[in-house]
Amino acid sequence: MTDLHPWAAGLDSLHDQVWLRLQRGVADRHAPARHPVLATVTPGGMPQARTVVLRGADPDEAVLEVHTDLLSAKVADLRVNPMAALHVWDAGVYLQTRIEARAMILTGAAVAQDWARVPDPSRQSYGSQPPPGTPIDDALAYAKRPDVACFAVLRLTVMAIDAVHLGPQHRRARYTRETGWRGQWLAP
């Protein structure tokens, strides 16, 4: 049985491949990691998951970044419980990546440089009136009004990564910040 992805056979190479694919998601709008699923927990304890756009991936610091509207429900969730999870499925290489992270909500001067790089059409996503998730009477009863005061960056400090490769020989590994990213094989 030939393994098409030899990087999945080693703990270090699998970890490197996860970060390579996350970085590719930032740079390539067609990469699977471009649109991970971000999960939070509401103040009432209900899980919430939504697709986001990955805007930053720093393997040296083990930090990911996502842009959002400050008035969105995910921000409210993270203010109560800053723990979040991200999920990426890369069908081309049979790789599932689950990430546990602690979120920091950055706004104002801390994100001014990020805002300056947001293209004008994308700025429409920050400052909807009424705020995202507000009940409205008609499907189009909202206005898009770009507002830098509604722009936030979620800085996600990665705490753990669980990587599952579903090649001919299934492999699963867990990496944690507390072990210095030393991997541990797990039963898949």
Side-chain angles (χ1 to χ4, degrees):
M1 205 179 294
T2 304
D3 195 341
L4 298 176
H5 309 113
W7 46 259
L11 286 168
D12 290 342
S13 56
L14 178 56
H15 182 259
D16 291 345
Q17 193 66 209
V18 165
W19 278 104
L20 176 71
R21 293 184 174 282
L22 290 168
Q23 288 178 300
R24 189 173 296 152
V26 173
D28 178 358
R29 68 179 28 169
H30 301 293
R34 176 66 163 203
H35 297 105
V37 174
L38 173 70
T40 58
V41 177
T42 68
M46 293 301 298
Q48 297 293 311
R50 76 283 283 157
T51 302
V52 295
V53 178
L54 190 61
R55 298 295 186 184
D58 181 343
D60 295 330
E61 297 293 322
V63 169
L64 302 170
E65 288 188 350
V66 171
H67 296 174
T68 191
D69 189 302
L70 186 61
L71 302 177
S72 68
K74 69 178 101 36
V75 172
D77 294 348
L78 292 168
R79 285 179 194 235
V80 174
N81 179 354
M83 300 311 292
L86 282 100
H87 176 268
V88 177
W89 169 244
D90 190 330
V93 295
Y94 311 107
L95 180 63
Q96 172 185 262
T97 303
R98 294 184 310 140
I99 297 169
E100 299 167 16
R102 177 178 300 280
M104 184 181 337
I105 303 159
L106 304 174
T107 61
V111 299
Q113 288 183 350
D114 295 288
W115 178 257
R117 290 190 299 270
V118 175
D120 286 334
S122 297
R123 289 182 179 193
Q124 300 295 317
S125 298
Y126 313 103
S128 294
Q129 289 300 318
T134 301
I136 53 179
D137 293 330
D138 181 87
L140 299 177
Y142 65 90
K144 297 271 190 175
R145 295 191 182 104
D147 183 355
V148 66
C150 291
F151 178 69
V153 173
L154 301 180
R155 183 175 171 87
L156 303 162
T157 300
V158 177
M159 306 308 289
I161 297 172
D162 186 298
V164 180
H165 181 256
L166 298 175
Q169 301 291 320
H170 293 189
R171 294 180 176 99
R172 179 179 178 189
R174 181 167 173 85
Y175 307 88
T176 64
R177 180 176 289 277
E178 87 180 4
T179 64
W181 306 111
R182 190 176 64 248
Q184 171 65 58
W185 290 117
L186 303 175

